Amino acid sequence: MHLTLPYNYESTNGWGCYKPDENRSYTILIGKNDKVVCYQGLIYFPIETPTTFNLKEKSLTTEIRIRNKQVLKYSASIGRPDRGINVIIKPSKDCNYGNFVAILDQMQINNIQSYNVINTFTPEEQLLLSKS
């Protein structure tokens, strides 16, 4: 299994305390009725307005591919060309298993090397899902 370890740019030897880079974070909230809400950055300060997608359409595949290319370009500009997007997948209680698997398939289709599954939501994320 490949393990991605955190990187600290300020330490002299390259390893140390993890400081998350919101420019690399992309969160996918999986809701009900084939809807997902995605945002890049932190929920309090998203880099762009959160976007709602329907999993029956192909637009999420394109979105993930575009975001990953942007992050690779950003990472190269700070001296880490191999650091792509870090996707955080958050399935809600209302999502079905098929939609969860569809998102995992997107990670393989788009060759996303770093992704996590978390089942906790902030109140702001719950609000985003309820509006979609």
Side-chain angles (χ1 to χ4, degrees):
M1 176 190 314
H2 177 69
L3 176 64
T4 302
L5 296 173
Y7 185 82
N8 183 359
Y9 294 99
E10 296 176 355
S11 69
T12 56
N13 64 1
W15 298 104
C17 179
Y18 176 61
K19 295 181 180 179
D21 186 350
E22 65 271 5
N23 294 306
R24 290 186 54 231
S25 297
Y26 189 71
T27 304
I28 300 175
L29 309 172
I30 310 172
K32 59 184 176 180
N33 300 327
D34 302 323
K35 299 287 184 191
V36 295
V37 178
C38 304
Y39 64 91
Q40 186 172 0
L42 305 174
I43 187 67
Y44 306 106
F45 304 105
I47 292 173
E48 291 184 14
T49 305
T51 308
T52 302
F53 294 95
N54 186 324
L55 286 175
K56 294 188 185 281
E57 300 170 3
K58 300 288 185 193
S59 55
L60 184 60
T61 303
T62 304
E63 174 74 8
I64 293 170
R65 188 172 295 125
I66 289 169
R67 295 290 178 179
N68 195 40
K69 284 181 183 179
Q70 289 172 342
V71 169
L72 286 168
K73 184 176 179 182
Y74 160 77
S75 295
S77 73
I78 61 170
R80 293 292 302 200
D82 58 334
R83 306 284 285 189
I85 197 166
N86 181 26
V87 178
I88 302 165
I89 302 167
K90 294 189 170 188
S92 71
K93 295 175 187 172
D94 297 326
C95 92
N96 64 47
Y97 183 74
N99 288 345
F100 177 66
V101 171
I103 296 298
L104 292 178
D105 286 345
Q106 288 297 320
M107 300 302 105
Q108 295 300 315
I109 291 167
N110 288 296
N111 197 27
I112 303 300
Q113 301 296 315
S114 178
Y115 59 92
N116 307 289
V117 178
I118 302 171
N119 66 353
T120 57
F121 287 79
T122 65
E124 294 80 10
E125 289 171 333
Q126 288 287 0
L127 184 61
L128 275 176
L129 273 180
S130 67
K131 289 181 179 180
S132 65

